[in-house]
Amino acid sequence: DFDEAGRLDADPEKLRRVVINLVGNALDALASKADAVDPRVDVAAGQNLAATEVWIRVRDNGPGIPSDKLEAIFAPFHTTKDAGTGLGLAVSRKVVEAHGGTVRAESTVGQGTTISVSFPASDVTRA
């Protein structure tokens, strides 16, 4: 789902890797929920009404993350996967922050997780 297109000055390859990591994590979460009915990963992007921020949101309806463990998902080497390194979200957060952005995670156990990323929009008058 893509809303109004915003403009962003960023390294497209690094941002592509962030999005791939977020979608991959959502798919992994769904794979870990064997009884998933109608598994979904929703990806949305757009800009805020003031056109000052560009955002990306990845939402799944997987098992969710307990609130007391939510911030730990961004810590280096934290993983719940058998073959995971625990670096994906830590590196993704660093990339987003290096571009002046923020990452936020929200989750409800049994309902899924949403990762929201926002960046300052480019000043199109400079372009």
Side-chain angles (χ1 to χ4, degrees):
D1 181 22
F2 296 96
D3 197 12
E4 180 72 27
R7 186 171 171 89
L8 170 65
D9 288 329
D11 182 323
E13 180 59 25
K14 287 182 180 178
L15 295 187
R16 183 183 71 81
R17 289 182 188 166
V18 168
V19 173
I20 287 171
N21 179 264
L22 297 179
V23 171
N25 284 345
L27 292 171
D28 288 345
L30 291 174
S32 72
K33 188 177 175 184
D35 62 343
V37 176
D38 188 31
R40 291 183 58 102
V41 174
D42 296 319
V43 180
Q47 67 179 353
N48 66 351
L49 291 175
T52 58
E53 290 185 338
V54 176
W55 54 267
I56 301 165
R57 183 181 63 231
V58 178
R59 177 183 299 152
D60 67 62
N61 65 345
I65 303 165
S67 59
D68 62 329
K69 300 190 185 313
L70 199 55
E71 191 57 32
I73 66 174
F74 295 106
F77 307 110
H78 174 82
T79 185
T80 57
K81 302 175 190 175
D82 292 337
T85 63
L87 292 174
L89 284 174
V91 170
S92 292
R93 178 180 254 181
K94 288 291 184 193
V95 167
V96 170
E97 290 174 347
H99 285 84
T102 59
V103 180
R104 189 178 78 236
E106 299 174 36
S107 190
T108 302
V109 173
Q111 295 182 18
T113 301
T114 301
I115 306 290
S116 302
V117 179
S118 62
F119 301 95
S122 297
D123 181 359
V124 294
T125 60
R126 290 184 293 157

